[in-house]
Structure formats: structure tokens, C-alpha cells
Amino acid sequence: MHNSKLNLKSFLLVGVGGSGCSAVKNIYKKDKSIPILLIDTDNESLASVENDKVFPVGSSVTNGLSCGGDVELGRQSIEKEASKLRSIFSNKDILLIVCGLGGGSATGIAPVLARISREINTQSLFLVSLPFAFEGKQRMQISEDAIRRMRSNADAVVQLPNERLKREAKGKSSQVGFEISHKYMTDAAESLWGICNNSGYCGLDFASIHTLLRSCDGFCHIASVKSCELDQSTNIVNDLINHPLMNKGLLLKGASGILIFIRGSESMRIDEVELIMDNLCNYMSDDTHINFGISLDKKIEGIKVVLLVTEEWRDPLIDNDSSIFSSRSGNSQGELAIETNINKGIFEDMDATVLNSEDFDVPTYIRKKI
């Protein structure tokens, strides 16, 4: 089971808007061999990168400034450059597009990029962050609307709900809260790049992601953890289960499909891999479809594990009752909607009461969608 390394010429890592460009620039600083492209209306976010790796848009619309939260300006800006982007994307096999939704530029641009990639038969994987709840309902609504338009054309959409990261920033400054969001976005983008570019002896690739997401109309969550400690395998499993983006472990228990990518140094032992897989499998349903890959890397210390966990759309774009995984996938509970904001007061830090993937701390009328 060996996958050849991805041809870098066929891959493009695309940062869109302020958050997306920042994350991609952070990755590019670490590895200059990664082919990147930064797209934004704001010339400031495109600074400090070579000219052939930036694609400013909307100069006649925003005069080199941001869209100021106007999604329509973002859409108009990219539509004017659609033909040029088709030319750039046409010789690429895979686009990994990173953006933060809720503002004007990325929220308006991302759905157009999804459409363009579909038109030229280039596969697209979107990594998108969603706003904190305190940023207002309007920002969340326009983010969700952008995702609905995106998923009509995108091959896969990976979401990072910032609201789930709020506990990690509790008691810290507002700046730290947004820095945590950017850190997770950068790490998720690096992890997805690692999967697409994996040359492991038991490898994964973009096709693995695409296959996994057929059961949920191309929608999933991502989490990654790393440990260099003595008991690293056990620590990794515990950290994954309690990862803020795994919604207190509910996503793992209810997922119909999970992709597990284990990356370690050349000293990583097979019993360590076995311990990680056994403990994760014991936590998940017996019906969960699991695909995993292993990669050895001289540059890494310890072990890093990346999870891609599927979630079904609440409002499917197409009627898809069948699943490649199991009969339970078509009618499983799925995760609670991200916009559901239930204040548990003093019980906020307590573990949820979970049975058959349902959180019984949530009122019945919400769980049953009444």
C-alpha cells in the first residue's frame, strides 16, 4: 500500500481574504517549496510575498482596500478576474483553499472559486473558519449562506467553528482569542497539505478524503494533536477525544466515517500505532468506516495524529439516502447545529450525557428538530 508523492505542480494552496492569506503565509514561511497563491482585495494582506504568488482583485471596486464586510463587493471583485483565474487553475489537479468566513472578501470570493474550479474540472478542498457567536448573527448567517453556495461545486468542505475554541481562550485577552483561531487554521491547513502530499508506506491522499466525504455531501471537521512525551500514544488519544473542535467527543461517537493520519519519526513503533488505533476505535461506533494512513518523517519529533470526521448536512443539496459506509449513515443523529447556543451556566464544564450519539443535555424539541 504505497502512494506516490503528489506532484507539486498539480497542487495549489490558496489563501483567500485576511485570515486565509495569513494562514497560508505562515505555512509558506516554513516550507518555500509549497506552491501558493494569495487572493484578496486588501493589498496589505498580500505584502511580504513574491509578486508571482499574489493575486490582488477588485482594484477598481475597493481601490486596494478591504471590502468592509460587504460580501457583494467581494463577489464582484473576483468575478472581474474569473477568466485569469481559470487560466491559473486549469493546470492544477487539486486546490486547497483556506479562508475565514464572516467578512466581505473571503465570503464573497470563496463560492466563486468553487464554481470556477468545477467549471474547469479541478478538484477543490475548502478549509473555512466560522465566526465567534459574539461577532453577531449576521456574520454567521452570511457565512452559512456562503457555505451553501460553496458546497454546490466544492469537492470537500472542512469547517473550523471558532465558537468551539472559545473555552481555550477563556480568561485571556480578545487578541489571544483570535490568535488561537489563526493557530488552529494554520495547523489544519498544514495537516490537510500533509495528507494530500503524503508519501507514507501506508498512505492517504486527496482521493481518500473525497471517498470519505461521499456519505455526508462533502462536509467534515478536522482535529490534530502532537505529543513527544513518554506516554505519547495515550496522551494523543485523550487529547483528540477532548479536542475543542471535536465537540466534547460527540463527533467521534456519532461519525459515520473517520480518516486517521498518523505521522511520526522513524523511531515510531508499531505498538504505538496499534495503541492509538485500538483506543480510538473503542471510542467510536462499530459501524464507523475508518480509513487510516501512516507516514514517517525525519523532521518530526514524537507523533502527530490528524482526524477528519464526517458530519451529514442537515439540509442536503441532493437526495442521498444511500451511504458507502453503512445503513445508519442515512438517518443518524449528526452533530448539533453549530449555531445552537445553549448556556449551561455552572454546568458548562461538565461532560455531556451521551447515548447513541445524542446529547441528552439538549432539550428534546431541539434534538428531534421539532
Side-chain angles (χ1 to χ4, degrees):
M1 297 176 64
H2 177 80
N3 286 354
S4 60
K5 192 172 184 179
L6 178 70
N7 180 1
L8 291 179
K9 292 182 179 179
S10 69
F11 179 91
L12 188 63
L13 177 60
V14 183
V16 181
S19 296
C21 287
S22 176
V24 171
K25 282 195 287 188
N26 288 339
I27 297 172
Y28 184 64
K29 288 177 183 177
K30 299 178 183 178
D31 188 350
K32 298 285 186 176
S33 69
I34 300 178
I36 68 166
L37 185 68
L38 306 180
I39 303 175
D40 201 0
T41 62
D42 189 351
N43 291 337
E44 186 176 343
S45 73
L46 304 179
S48 72
V49 177
E50 299 93 314
N51 289 335
D52 63 335
K53 302 187 183 302
V54 301
F55 193 87
V57 296
S59 57
S60 62
V61 179
T62 67
N63 295 317
L65 303 176
S66 72
C67 290
D70 190 329
V71 178
E72 180 59 21
L73 284 183
R75 187 194 66 78
Q76 291 177 13
S77 298
I78 197 67
E79 289 285 11
K80 292 178 179 293
E81 309 291 346
S83 60
K84 293 182 181 178
L85 281 172
R86 285 189 184 92
S87 178
I88 295 174
F89 292 165
S90 61
N91 63 344
K92 304 298 179 184
D93 294 327
I94 301 173
L95 301 175
L96 172 52
I97 301 173
V98 184
C99 55
L101 300 182
S105 297
T107 313
I109 290 173
V112 179
L113 295 183
R115 189 199 74 218
I116 291 173
S117 64
R118 177 66 66 186
E119 290 171 350
I120 60 176
N121 295 319
T122 296
Q123 293 180 308
S124 59
L125 169 60
F126 282 79
L127 172 65
V128 301
S129 66
L130 296 171
F132 290 100
F134 61 73
E135 295 182 65
K137 291 183 178 180
Q138 185 181 21
R139 290 178 71 90
M140 182 62 75
Q141 287 171 354
I142 64 175
S143 299
E144 292 171 347
D145 179 64
I147 292 175
R148 279 191 289 269
R149 287 182 284 128
M150 229 181 290
R151 59 185 274 242
S152 300
N153 296 299
D155 290 283
V157 178
V158 180
Q159 288 194 16
L160 295 177
N162 282 341
E163 186 64 17
R164 292 189 188 148
L165 304 176
K166 193 167 60 176
R167 181 181 298 180
E168 191 168 326
K170 190 174 183 180
K172 300 177 182 177
S173 68
S174 57
Q175 178 181 349
V176 171
F178 285 100
E179 287 176 350
I180 289 173
S181 171
H182 289 307
K183 181 193 75 173
Y184 275 100
M185 175 178 280
T186 300
D187 181 66
E190 284 182 312
S191 298
L192 290 172
W193 156 252
I195 292 173
C196 292
N197 190 40
N198 174 34
S199 57
Y201 54 84
C202 180
L204 296 169
D205 52 17
F206 180 82
S208 304
I209 300 175
H210 200 213
T211 300
L212 177 81
L213 297 180
R214 285 182 201 160
S215 71
C216 58
D217 197 13
F219 175 45
C220 68
H221 296 273
I222 187 170
S224 66
V225 298
K226 180 181 177 182
S227 178
C228 302
E229 299 175 6
L230 184 62
D231 198 11
Q232 54 190 7
S233 297
T234 302
N235 293 335
I236 283 174
V237 173
N238 291 334
D239 289 344
L240 284 171
I241 292 172
N242 296 300
H243 195 285
L245 293 175
M246 289 294 100
N247 198 19
K248 300 180 180 179
L250 287 174
L251 285 179
L252 290 175
K253 288 185 177 181
S256 56
I258 292 179
L259 185 150
I260 305 172
F261 180 43
I262 303 175
R263 183 176 166 217
S265 64
E266 293 183 329
S267 62
M268 181 172 64
R269 305 186 311 274
I270 188 64
D271 58 292
E272 292 180 306
V273 174
E274 182 180 20
L275 181 60
I276 291 172
M277 292 300 299
D278 285 348
N279 287 340
L280 284 176
C281 291
N282 288 338
Y283 195 80
M284 294 180 281
S285 167
D286 291 338
D287 296 326
T288 302
H289 175 89
I290 299 173
N291 192 2
F292 82 101
I294 303 172
S295 177
L296 300 182
D297 190 340
K298 296 178 181 178
K299 299 178 182 178
I300 193 173
E301 294 182 7
I303 299 176
K304 181 176 182 178
V305 178
V306 181
L307 292 185
L308 277 177
V309 182
T310 62
E311 180 188 356
E312 295 177 10
W313 289 99
R314 287 181 161 277
D315 185 19
L317 187 67
I318 56 175
D319 184 16
N320 184 18
D321 293 329
S322 63
S323 170
I324 63 171
F325 298 141
S326 65
S327 59
R328 67 184 285 274
S329 300
N331 52 19
S332 64
Q333 166 71 14
E335 185 209 357
L336 298 174
I338 56 175
E339 68 271 19
T340 303
N341 186 16
I342 302 172
N343 184 3
K344 297 183 180 180
I346 62 174
F347 302 104
E348 185 66 29
D349 293 327
M350 294 185 66
D351 292 336
T353 305
V354 180
L355 181 62
N356 294 329
S357 303
E358 295 191 42
D359 185 351
F360 279 81
D361 293 341
V362 176
T364 303
Y365 74 94
I366 293 177
R367 285 189 287 110
K368 301 300 182 182
K369 307 177 189 177
I370 299 175

